[in-house]
Amino acid sequence: MPEYPALTSIPRRLLLGPGPSDVHPRVLAAMSTPLVGHLDPAFLELMNRTRELLRAVFQTQNELTLPIAGTGSAGMEAALCNLIEEGDEVLIAINGYFGERMYEMALRCRGNVRRLEAPWGQVFSPEQVEAALRERPARLVAMVHAETSTGALQPVEEIAQVAHRYGALLLLDTVTSLGGVPVEIDRWGVDACYSGTQKCLSCPPGLAPITLSPAAREKLNRRRTKVQSWYLDLSLIEKYWGQERIYHHTAPISMNYALYEALRLVHEEGLAARFARHQRNAGALWAGLEAMGLSLFVPRSHRLPSLSTVRIPEGVNDARVRGRLLNDFNIEISGGLGDLKGKIWRIGLMGHSSSGDNVLRLLTALERVLPDEGFPVTPGAGAEAAAQALRQD
Ligand SMILES: *Cc1c(COP(=O)(O)O)cnc(C)c1O
């Protein structure tokens, strides 16, 4: 008889990677709420409240705002496959791994997809996007707000204006920004936006909040052809989440409980306070890393607070350091993707994981591990600089 250990054998980690982030105990508790049916009046009520809370966190009045059943990539796929029809001109801005994923998906939607590229770690200027659209207009421009592969934060507002001036809709990935960094869908003029639950919302992975502006919805209504994905067809999903309540798929009830509780936590904290907390703790992390002699990959002007990227010093073994952090200190951070593999570490301070205590815990652990790799660190230097930054704020 093989032995099947109980889940109590799963270690308690501190999740400081690119997601999932630590889940608030109230969200974990919410998931053990007894189930009701997916058309139970109590659940329908909860769906309405969830949509209201989602509009608040997206800062939008968009009617079509709901959580897709699936992870962030399902949100990406839903946004793209609903808004692209065969032959549509599409421009994808690619400055990291998730821009590449969008490009890959957009091709499968059979758009005429063009790439606008910037080096990983950099962001796009409105002029760059304008030049590309002047050369050849597009129906849709898609980009990533918070590139989790590089730690760069893309300014959006002016690019949305450029897109509109050239008759394009703007689609934005906010998987690593929603709930941690300001996302202002209506004020910026973003037409379609999706996110995921497991990053700055600090929920388990499993739902993808999405929102469509009236203009994007119009595009959806005027499609000549059906969306090729039945499961992700927003016009069908909306019939379940909207007034009609027509069964489409069985909503993942427990995940919706979790998202509702996570959004209640965002509401209680307040968006401004939550963004300030993410900024403060990231600032403390950056001060601590620099005081230890490490250097950050992204210039401060467009550095993302929810995910920091730090250069791995020459001669330091990437996998061994991460292994020791995990095994000796129960802390998860992540390595680089693509060309950045072995060159950077990615440190997430997202949602519930973004706290001063966690910053100090990570810096203290790094101070213990790095000297064994031949990278000398003055004991306490990083933690002291971070503590000082936290005090000053
Ligand atoms: C994590 C992430 C995704 C994909 O989300 P999954 O939940 O892993 O499917 C998409 N875009 C960005 C920017 C991400 O960070």
Side-chain angles (χ1 to χ4, degrees):
M1 266 290 270
E3 224 180 279
Y4 301 106
L7 285 169
T8 47
S9 64
I10 298 280
R12 284 190 82 124
R13 307 290 199 202
L14 173 58
L15 298 179
L16 300 182
S21 59
D22 276 350
V23 173
H24 194 285
R26 262 174 55 188
V27 174
L28 285 178
M31 295 186 84
S32 61
T33 305
L35 296 211
V36 291
H38 65 283
L39 290 168
D40 191 293
F43 191 70
L44 300 181
E45 191 66 55
L46 188 83
M47 290 164 75
N48 289 343
R49 295 205 174 106
T50 299
R51 300 185 78 179
E52 233 173 83
L53 288 166
L54 276 180
R55 287 187 192 104
V57 64
F58 274 124
Q59 303 194 58
T60 184
Q61 309 281 332
N62 288 342
E63 174 61 28
L64 206 173
T65 303
L66 51 81
I68 302 263
T71 65
S73 304
M76 186 187 288
E77 192 129 29
L80 290 166
C81 77
N82 279 272
L83 294 179
I84 301 174
E85 280 192 270
E86 186 163 1
D88 278 358
E89 292 290 333
V90 179
L91 182 69
I92 313 268
I94 304 169
N95 58 350
Y97 180 88
F98 290 101
E100 284 291 352
R101 182 174 292 186
M102 277 187 165
Y103 176 75
E104 190 56 41
M105 283 187 187
L107 284 180
R108 292 179 188 218
C109 300
R110 304 177 183 208
N112 281 342
V113 191
R114 263 187 307 152
R115 303 164 64 92
L116 178 63
E117 294 185 61
W120 285 35
Q122 294 185 20
V123 292
F124 295 92
S125 68
E127 291 75 23
Q128 266 173 293
V129 176
E130 175 150 24
L133 289 174
R134 198 182 306 120
E135 193 184 300
R136 199 160 114 203
R139 310 279 306 256
L140 183 71
V141 174
M143 63 190 344
V144 177
H145 185 216
E147 235 320 332
T148 322
S149 60
T150 67
L153 180 63
Q154 173 66 54
V156 173
E157 195 174 358
E158 285 179 69
I159 289 179
Q161 289 167 4
V162 168
H164 293 159
R165 219 178 306 132
Y166 285 82
L169 297 173
L170 184 75
L171 163 57
L172 192 66
D173 174 317
T174 61
V175 176
T176 290
S177 49
L178 190 72
V181 177
V183 171
E184 302 183 52
I185 296 304
D186 287 0
R187 203 174 66 77
W188 295 348
V190 174
D191 295 290
C193 179
Y194 60 87
S195 189
T197 41
Q198 78 274 25
K199 303 204 183 175
C200 297
L201 295 174
S202 268
C203 210
L207 292 175
I210 191 167
T211 186
L212 257 62
S213 73
R217 206 176 170 158
E218 185 67 20
K219 160 80 188 164
L220 182 56
N221 292 344
R222 286 172 182 239
R223 284 182 66 106
R224 292 166 273 116
T225 53
K226 286 187 177 178
V227 175
Q228 72 271 27
S229 165
W230 179 89
Y231 191 71
L232 296 175
D233 185 335
L234 282 167
S235 54
L236 300 178
I237 296 172
E238 160 76 354
K239 287 198 169 81
Y240 169 53
W241 279 85
Q243 294 302 314
E244 296 167 76
R245 304 299 185 185
I246 296 170
Y247 164 69
H248 175 256
H249 62 278
T250 309
I253 306 291
S254 308
M255 264 315 297
N256 277 284
Y257 290 160
L259 176 60
Y260 178 68
E261 192 60 19
L263 292 170
R264 259 165 42 89
L265 283 161
V266 175
H267 179 72
E268 281 171 28
E269 184 174 10
L271 284 179
R274 196 173 172 95
F275 300 149
R277 170 166 65 84
H278 280 78
Q279 190 69 54
R280 179 172 65 245
N281 294 325
L285 175 68
W286 301 338
L289 291 169
E290 283 175 338
M292 287 168 65
L294 294 166
S295 81
L296 290 146
F297 178 65
V298 175
R300 193 154 190 137
S301 56
H302 55 272
R303 200 181 285 161
L304 180 62
S306 47
L307 187 114
S308 302
T309 42
V310 53
R311 290 198 178 84
I312 301 173
E314 204 68 46
V316 169
N317 185 300
D318 170 20
R320 200 160 50 212
V321 168
R322 285 188 289 115
R324 277 200 64 197
L325 287 176
L326 191 70
N327 298 319
D328 300 351
F329 297 90
N330 272 313
I331 300 175
E332 178 184 89
I333 67 164
S334 173
L337 291 171
D339 288 346
L340 294 176
K341 190 174 160 59
K343 299 205 175 109
I344 59 165
W345 287 311
R346 294 185 298 150
I347 303 170
L349 290 174
M350 303 182 186
H352 189 53
S353 288
S354 171
S355 73
D357 283 354
N358 288 347
V359 169
L360 298 178
R361 206 175 131 187
L362 172 64
L363 291 169
T364 306
L366 275 174
E367 282 177 354
R368 301 280 295 276
V369 173
L370 287 177
D372 297 343
E373 290 288 326
F375 184 82
V377 177
T378 312
E384 182 46 47
Q388 203 177 331
L390 288 168
R391 270 196 305 273
Q392 276 167 3
D393 246 307

